[in-house]
Amino acid sequence: MERSLTHIALFAALIAVLGLIPKIDLAAGIPITAQSLGIMLCGTVLGARRGALAVLLFLALVAAGLPLLSGGRGGLGVFAGPSVGYLIGFPVAAFVTGWLMERTTLPTGLAAGAASVIGGIGVLYVFGISGMAIMLDKSLPEAAFLGMAFLPGDILKAVIAGLVTQSLARMRPASLLSRA
């Protein structure tokens, strides 16, 4: 139990630290950030339940006003902006990524990369694009077109998540809770 709580807190902090990398703002008001890499790693390393809990802890801290999102944003106001769908989708994406990691027998790096693409990109985009469509008063195809600007960077993040998870599995296999 204590070990799980430590991992959850550590990965919530990792997501926050990834927010320190400068964001790139798009015309739609949705920033490109490194924080989605943290969401992927929550699932690939911690597994479904712990990964989602780490993201929920991070979002609770953001909602409480801590400026943990990229660009120093925080507070309830961020949940009323065009990126709300992505924020709501963060814990679901981490859960699905972890769930896939827990159930596949693929080699760790390949499993983590594939789980990150399915959960950390596919699932997250369903929420993010839906949120953009609602908040920006766009059709789903228009919002999907806007969301495609994120795809190249997110594919790179999924590859990085696979490599980091594979390296972690080699160096400290016991720390990979998604495969425990």
Side-chain angles (χ1 to χ4, degrees):
M1 176 70 164
E2 184 179 315
R3 182 174 175 223
S4 289
L5 292 175
T6 303
H7 281 95
I8 290 167
L10 178 65
F11 274 78
L14 172 68
I15 300 168
V17 167
L18 288 170
L20 297 175
I21 297 172
K23 65 180 179 157
I24 301 168
D25 282 316
L26 297 180
I30 312 288
I32 295 175
T33 75
Q35 288 181 306
S36 54
L37 172 60
I39 303 306
M40 293 174 190
L41 288 170
C42 282
T44 63
V45 176
L46 298 181
R49 190 175 58 79
R50 290 181 199 94
L53 287 172
V55 178
L56 287 170
L57 173 59
F58 170 77
L59 290 175
L61 295 171
V62 168
L66 273 65
L68 301 177
L69 291 174
S70 64
R73 298 173 303 128
L76 292 176
V78 298
F79 294 95
S83 62
V84 65
Y86 290 98
L87 297 175
I88 291 170
F90 277 180
V92 180
F95 183 88
V96 170
T97 302
W99 186 85
L100 292 169
M101 277 296 291
E102 292 168 357
R103 280 157 181 77
T104 184
T105 57
L106 292 171
T108 302
L110 182 59
S116 293
V117 168
I118 295 166
I121 297 175
V123 170
L124 189 58
Y125 278 36
V126 168
F127 285 88
I129 289 169
S130 299
M132 277 197 302
I134 293 166
M135 299 307 288
L136 298 175
D137 196 28
K138 303 276 185 198
S139 69
L140 280 175
E142 289 171 325
F145 179 76
L146 292 173
M148 289 304 109
F150 300 105
L151 194 55
D154 285 339
I155 291 171
L156 177 62
K157 291 175 213 171
V159 170
I160 293 169
L163 294 171
V164 168
T165 305
Q166 181 178 21
S167 296
L168 188 58
R170 283 189 184 143
M171 292 185 299
R172 295 188 51 98
S175 65
L176 198 63
L177 302 180
S178 63
R179 289 287 174 107

